[in-house]
Amino acid sequence: MLVLPFAARALEAFQITEIPGTGRTVAAEIADLDGDGRSDLLEVRFEGIPPGERRSLRVHFQGEDGRIPAAPQLELPLPRGAAAYDLADVLAEPGSELLLLQRDGVRIVSLAGRKARARDARIPDGVTAGPAPDERGLSRLALTSRALGSEPVLVVPGLGEAFLLAPDGSLRARLDTGERTNYFVQKAGPIYAESDIQFFFDVPRLALGDIDGDGRADVLSAARHELRVFLQRPDGTFPTGPSRRIALERVPVEDHMRGSGSVRADARDIDGDGRLDLLISQTSGGITDARSATSIHFNRIQDSGGARAGRWNLAEPDILVERDKAMVADELLDVDGDGRLELLQGRIPVTALELVEVVLTRSLDVHMALFRLDPGSKREPAFEQKHSLPFSFETGRLRGFVPSLDHDLNGDGHRDFVHSTDGSALEIYLGGPGSRYRDRSARQELDTEGVLNPGDLDGDGLLDFVLSNPRRLDAPIRLLTNRGALPGTRPRIRSAASDRGSARPK
């Protein structure tokens, strides 16, 4: 069946389906779980409070008629030790598996054929970064990579180390990645904390890819004060200790003493040469004198005694974007689909006037800017726009889901901006060379409180969403099926599942 984008329906980009909820939905995902080629709905449901809390996995399998049933066909207890989750195809069985980070490794749950089977990939000893279940919910954490070859590898963060495991549990590498810990100790006197000791444990960010230019994937561990490089050997193994340690030296003494500011690093192949380049995003100072500096360091191949060795010149960035009186959040992504990464920066001004405005309007002004990262390109943004993000003083959170530029909704290869306004409507600003996100392409009245996750519900190749609210009891799950009505949507051939009907519950 050929489906055309009808302009008359452009203001309602999605068909909305509600799945009734009881308790608290802490996670909801769209994925083919049983391996039949159709997307299903997975929800993680919490009911009650500890110690009598009940945690369960509920699966709504899509039928041959293309419908998602309102009631789950499969419900089973969530393993007690689950601290975080991921969805990925890591086994020979069809469909995506549910990966659960636990104290001793990763539990892999397969639902192929609509039957639950579990196996464990355990670390040899020690403790993962999930020593106990999360009391408040269950967050998604990337636990897999295919950077080491065609077969997936489990990337398991630990306490001061990281493990690379094959899905069968065999150990590929054990890496001394380091850690950063801050303790709060209750002293004698008035009781104002719930326990004698609390601590914040910072697990370094890991990136897998070629660093030294030998064609083999290496591992980079990035923390606040230091980078550690683990180079893959010719036989495919890794050293336990780092091959190279690089001091960042970006934290001023004042920030170190008061625990303010931040240094965030990410490694991606920005210039397309096959080697990992480096993004370092730094914020220093306090709430009224914040300063930010974002630097890009391209990976340069240098002759080191006849050996190829990738290096980043941290003293002289290839690209530098600095901001005064502002806090920033940076992301590397391919906005226009040309295979090259751009820098998306969200900037929040922090001045006395801005703080007064926040209190009065109960909203944050976020300036969204996109920078091209071609060597020699201008350091001015390709575009910049301001968006107001309302938030609640009662919850300390945004009203609505976190806006993003992560999704292509009309299938034209360009990322689109998806905004939740004040929690009462969904707005879409299409990307592309002609629009630059200037004009609103669609607005649909909808309760947008919660978390928005993408997927293809009806198999038509256009992105759909599932919206759930982990902070509201008995909140329904909303399935948002893309109508194909957004401007620029090309004619497309629907799958057999979408021909039979949309994802409406029975």
Side-chain angles (χ1 to χ4, degrees):
M1 177 180 177
L2 189 65
V3 180
L4 299 177
F6 295 99
R9 306 176 75 176
L11 291 181
E12 287 201 352
F14 298 95
Q15 175 180 305
I16 310 299
T17 302
E18 286 196 356
I19 303 292
T22 57
R24 187 162 60 97
T25 300
V26 300
E29 296 278 356
I30 300 169
D32 178 11
L33 299 169
D34 57 358
D36 64 357
R38 294 183 294 267
S39 292
D40 310 304
L41 171 64
L42 170 70
E43 57 171 314
V44 181
R45 184 65 56 88
F46 288 9
E47 296 181 90
I49 61 173
E53 183 181 61
R54 299 177 302 278
R55 301 185 170 198
S56 62
L57 298 171
R58 296 155 61 100
V59 187
H60 306 249
F61 294 108
Q62 185 173 165
E64 293 184 359
D65 59 357
R67 296 172 183 267
I68 299 290
Q73 294 109 316
L74 181 64
E75 185 169 1
L76 57 153
L78 179 70
R80 294 185 60 183
Y85 79 97
D86 196 8
L87 285 169
D89 185 5
V90 299
L91 301 179
E93 289 87 344
S96 296
E97 284 78 42
L98 174 64
L99 312 178
L100 298 170
L101 179 67
Q102 302 188 124
R103 181 182 182 88
D104 59 355
V106 176
R107 173 158 293 185
I108 306 172
V109 181
S110 170
L111 299 174
R114 304 191 177 184
K115 295 182 179 180
R117 304 175 185 86
R119 66 179 69 179
D120 292 318
R122 292 190 172 91
I123 60 175
D125 56 67
V127 180
T128 74
D134 189 337
E135 182 181 73
R136 295 174 297 175
L138 192 70
S139 298
R140 185 161 183 175
L141 173 68
L143 293 171
T144 67
S145 174
R146 290 184 179 269
L148 299 185
S150 59
E151 297 300 319
V153 62
L154 302 179
V155 181
V156 186
L159 300 185
E161 54 187 348
F163 304 85
L164 303 183
L165 303 176
D168 64 4
S170 57
L171 182 67
R172 292 289 305 274
R174 184 172 189 167
L175 310 173
D176 177 14
T177 55
E179 71 284 314
R180 182 172 68 98
T181 311
N182 290 283
Y183 294 91
F184 175 77
V185 179
Q186 169 75 63
K187 298 181 179 180
I191 298 176
Y192 55 87
E194 293 180 325
S195 56
D196 286 339
I197 183 170
Q198 299 173 347
F199 66 92
F200 172 85
F201 192 95
D202 189 7
V203 176
R205 177 177 286 109
L206 297 181
L208 278 69
D210 187 7
I211 295 175
D212 60 356
D214 63 359
R216 294 186 292 269
D218 310 304
V219 179
L220 175 71
S221 168
R224 178 179 174 92
H225 299 290
E226 184 184 50
L227 304 177
R228 297 188 183 187
V229 176
F230 300 84
L231 299 177
Q232 186 178 171
R233 301 182 181 114
D235 62 0
T237 62
F238 288 86
T240 298
S243 310
R244 194 182 305 156
R245 298 177 66 163
I246 305 169
L248 288 175
E249 299 179 337
R250 300 292 179 102
V251 181
V253 174
E254 294 81 3
D255 283 352
H256 179 62
M257 291 189 298
R258 63 190 180 188
S260 61
S262 66
V263 178
R264 306 175 301 277
D266 191 15
R268 306 278 295 279
D269 180 9
I270 297 173
D271 56 6
D273 64 1
R275 300 187 301 273
L276 291 182
D277 306 302
L278 192 63
L279 162 73
I280 300 178
S281 178
Q282 177 187 359
T283 299
S284 60
I287 195 68
T288 58
D289 63 344
R291 302 175 302 280
S292 71
T294 301
S295 57
I296 301 292
H297 306 264
F298 291 117
N299 190 326
R300 307 301 187 191
I301 291 294
Q302 298 176 347
D303 190 338
S304 177
R308 294 163 64 86
R311 303 282 177 178
W312 306 287
N313 187 347
L314 299 187
E316 298 182 11
D318 295 279
I319 297 174
L320 178 63
V321 178
E322 296 181 293
R323 306 279 193 177
D324 287 328
K325 297 186 180 302
M327 303 178 69
V328 303
D330 295 315
E331 182 179 6
L332 293 170
L333 72 170
D334 180 6
V335 172
D336 51 12
D338 65 353
R340 300 179 70 86
L341 296 174
E342 288 84 34
L343 171 66
L344 177 67
Q345 184 175 89
R347 174 172 59 91
I348 301 176
V350 284
T351 64
L353 182 61
E354 289 286 343
L355 294 176
V356 171
E357 182 180 349
V358 167
V359 174
L360 293 177
T361 65
R362 298 197 173 194
S363 64
L364 295 172
D365 287 337
V366 178
H367 297 254
M368 183 177 69
L370 186 76
F371 295 86
R372 304 295 181 189
L373 300 180
D374 300 322
S377 63
K378 294 182 179 179
R379 297 302 164 251
E380 297 300 322
F383 76 84
E384 186 167 7
Q385 287 182 327
K386 184 177 77 170
H387 290 272
S388 179
L389 303 183
F391 69 93
S392 168
F393 277 117
E394 289 76 19
T395 65
R397 299 176 183 270
L398 293 178
R399 298 179 190 167
F401 58 79
V402 177
S404 75
L405 198 68
D406 295 333
H407 313 299
D408 175 13
L409 296 179
N410 61 354
D412 66 352
H414 295 270
R415 306 264 185 143
D416 306 314
F417 183 63
V418 184
H419 190 14
S420 59
T421 63
D422 61 352
S424 63
L426 183 148
E427 293 185 345
I428 298 171
Y429 295 78
L430 293 177
S435 65
R436 297 287 190 196
Y437 311 99
R438 285 193 300 267
D439 302 318
R440 187 178 67 199
S441 303
R443 176 184 171 88
Q444 190 163 350
E445 301 300 322
L446 173 70
D447 179 359
T448 56
E449 295 280 358
V451 179
L452 192 72
N453 284 323
D456 186 359
L457 271 168
D458 53 6
D460 65 355
L462 292 178
L463 204 61
D464 309 306
F465 293 109
V466 57
L467 177 62
S468 59
N469 191 343
R471 294 181 294 276
R472 184 184 301 168
L473 286 176
D474 303 332
I477 298 173
R478 293 180 173 88
L479 301 176
L480 283 61
T481 305
N482 194 330
R483 295 181 183 271
L486 287 167
T489 304
R490 296 185 177 92
R492 63 203 187 281
I493 303 297
R494 285 186 182 271
S495 71
S498 61
D499 281 342
R500 288 187 291 270
S502 58
R504 296 186 299 272
K506 294 178 180 178

